[in-house]
């Protein structure tokens, strides 16, 4: 039995969205230290604003400037701030109903401890020193004892409005691949590809999952496959991914390694992208310090007959 592996796994992508007129005005307003809400058909002021009335679904664009002061409507203490949270010291998550608004905005409150926070407490915006047109232009809220502010109509017009934002999305996992994939990864470290055969249907799964999804039985017979294989299908990638140092266009393919009954996927190199084809015979190219093949390249053999891999497409 191999040791069961475990490693950090980060899934991260920047989400780019364009802003409609209401969200554009809201975020541009924050950049200019102005908090805007929107008035619904029945006169309620929503902060943060939305583009459609949540009751009637009517489009709404009647902007209102509300105060940078407000009241905490509920809260929760966060004793262990995580990466990229608004404050790096313990803080309270708060819903704040700003003066002039009828709904509450989710943000954070800078307070020395949970004993200093209560529902109904008065707070005000602490603006970020550098503002770009994002919710983080409000650095946080802080306790405030002064007079309540009011609200006033606002035309939402600003010079150089913010029209789009990039929101980083990131998920941090500790990933344990389990018995079958741990053995697969250990074999890859020795530049061998090892799958597992189903005792019932005899299919060889690469990478192995520890069970046959068709028969529902455990797989434990290790079978070395490849290293050569056949391209069963492929796509041409024309969009450059963040943090990936590969020039576009390039080809990403499904490859059935010899002896495997499941295609894995990998990049194809060593051949112009527009000459890659189904049936192309390929072999792995390993790089130093990398458990996986960097890519697959043509072997120079004649293409495989379609009948030889049609069940794996
Ligand atoms: Zn099976």
């Amino acid at each position: 039995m191999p040791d069961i592996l475990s490693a950090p796994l980060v899934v991260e992508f920047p989400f780019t969205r364009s802003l409609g007129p209401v969200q554009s005005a809201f975020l541009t307003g924050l950049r200019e230290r102005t908090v805007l809400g929107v008035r619904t058909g029945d006169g309620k002021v929503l902060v943060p604003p939305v583009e459609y009335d949540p009751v009637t679904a009517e489009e709404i664009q009647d902007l209102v400037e509300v105060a940078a002061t407000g009241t905490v409507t509920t809260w929760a203490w966060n004793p262990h701030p995580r990466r990229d949270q608004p404050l790096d010291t313990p803080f309270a998550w708060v819903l704040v109903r700003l003066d002039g608004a009828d709904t509450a905005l989710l943000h954070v409150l800078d307070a020395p401890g949970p004993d200093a926070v209560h529902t109904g407490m008065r707070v005000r915006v602490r603006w970020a020193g550098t503002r770009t047109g994002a919710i983080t232009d409000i650095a946080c809220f802080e306790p405030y004892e002064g007079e309540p502010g009011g609200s006033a109509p606002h035309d939402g017009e600003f010079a150089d409005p913010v029209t789009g934002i990039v929101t980083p999305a990131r998920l941090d996992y500790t990933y344990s691949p389990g018995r079958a994939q741990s053995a697969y990864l250990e074999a890859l470290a020795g530049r061998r590809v090892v799958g597992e055969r189903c005792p019932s249907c005899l299919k060889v799964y690469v990478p192995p999952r520890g069970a046959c999804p068709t028969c529902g039985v455990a797989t434990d017979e290790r079978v070395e496959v490849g290293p050569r294989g056949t391209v069963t299908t492929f796509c041409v990638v024309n969009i450059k991914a963040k943090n990936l140092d590969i020039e576009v266009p390039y080809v990403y393919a499904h490859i059935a390694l010899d002896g495997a009954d499941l295609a894995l996927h990998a990049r194809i190199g060593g051949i112009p992208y527009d000459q890659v084809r189904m049936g192309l015979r390929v072999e792995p190219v390993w790089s130093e310090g990398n458990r996986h093949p960097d890519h697959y390249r043509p072997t120079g053999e004649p293409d495989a007959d379609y009948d030889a891999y049609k069940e794996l497409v």
Side-chain angles (χ1 to χ4, degrees):
M1 269 299 162
D3 290 337
I4 302 302
L5 299 173
S6 179
L9 174 67
V10 177
V11 180
E12 186 173 29
F13 63 93
F15 183 77
T16 303
R17 65 162 286 182
S18 54
L19 303 169
V22 172
Q23 300 298 332
S24 172
F26 176 63
L27 294 179
T28 309
L30 294 182
R31 190 190 68 198
E32 305 304 324
R33 298 163 62 121
T34 299
V35 186
L36 297 181
V38 69
R39 192 182 303 279
T40 65
D42 62 0
K44 284 198 164 59
V45 175
L46 310 181
V47 179
V50 294
E51 291 137 331
Y52 296 92
D53 189 313
V55 176
T56 65
E58 292 288 320
E59 188 173 351
I60 45 177
Q61 295 197 16
D62 185 10
L63 296 169
V64 179
E65 181 177 353
V66 299
T69 55
T71 303
V72 171
T73 64
T74 192
W75 61 281
W77 189 250
N78 178 13
H80 304 296
R82 304 192 64 188
R83 174 196 167 97
D84 292 338
Q85 289 189 333
L87 295 173
D88 56 12
T89 52
F91 61 83
W93 292 108
V94 283
L95 284 174
V96 176
R97 189 174 61 239
L98 293 170
D99 299 332
D102 292 289
T103 58
L105 172 77
L106 174 66
H107 219 287
V108 304
L109 171 67
D110 186 10
D115 293 344
V117 186
H118 62 272
T119 296
M121 74 183 285
R122 297 282 299 158
V123 295
R124 71 174 169 192
V125 169
R126 182 190 298 164
W127 294 105
T130 303
R131 295 179 306 280
T132 60
I135 192 63
T136 46
D137 290 352
I138 297 177
C140 62
F141 282 85
E142 60 191 14
Y144 175 68
E145 298 297 340
E147 292 297 309
S151 62
H154 195 287
D155 62 10
E157 296 291 329
F158 296 98
D160 190 21
V162 177
T163 58
I165 55 171
V166 178
T167 305
R170 178 185 167 110
L171 296 168
D172 283 89
Y173 295 94
T174 299
Y175 181 67
S176 288
R179 173 192 60 78
Q181 283 199 70
S182 289
Y184 170 75
L185 292 169
E186 297 287 5
L188 275 182
R191 300 193 172 184
R192 296 182 306 119
V193 180
V194 174
E196 288 189 351
R197 192 193 315 271
C198 172
S200 176
C201 68
L202 305 182
K203 278 188 175 171
V204 174
Y205 291 100
V206 182
R209 304 290 186 198
C212 174
T214 305
C215 306
V217 297
T219 57
D220 55 10
E221 184 194 347
R222 301 264 154 75
V223 180
E224 184 163 347
V225 300
R228 293 184 168 190
T230 301
V231 171
T232 63
T233 188
F234 64 94
C235 69
V236 178
V237 179
N238 284 292
I239 298 171
K240 195 163 172 59
K242 191 170 178 260
N243 302 334
L244 203 57
D245 192 22
I246 301 171
E247 289 304 315
V248 293
Y250 64 87
V251 172
Y252 214 67
H254 277 204
I255 299 164
L257 296 181
D258 297 343
D261 291 294
L262 189 68
L264 49 73
H265 45 86
R267 183 169 64 90
I268 303 295
I271 178 173
Y273 72 92
D274 56 358
Q275 292 179 27
V276 176
R277 55 204 180 263
M278 293 171 71
L280 181 69
R281 295 284 295 157
V282 293
E283 63 189 2
V285 177
W286 300 86
S287 60
E288 280 308 314
N290 199 341
R291 268 181 182 264
H292 288 274
D294 179 70
H295 63 275
Y296 283 73
R297 67 182 172 205
T299 62
E301 295 167 274
D303 287 1
D305 282 338
Y306 180 65
D307 283 345
Y309 62 88
K310 66 181 180 184
E311 300 297 327
L312 298 171
V313 172

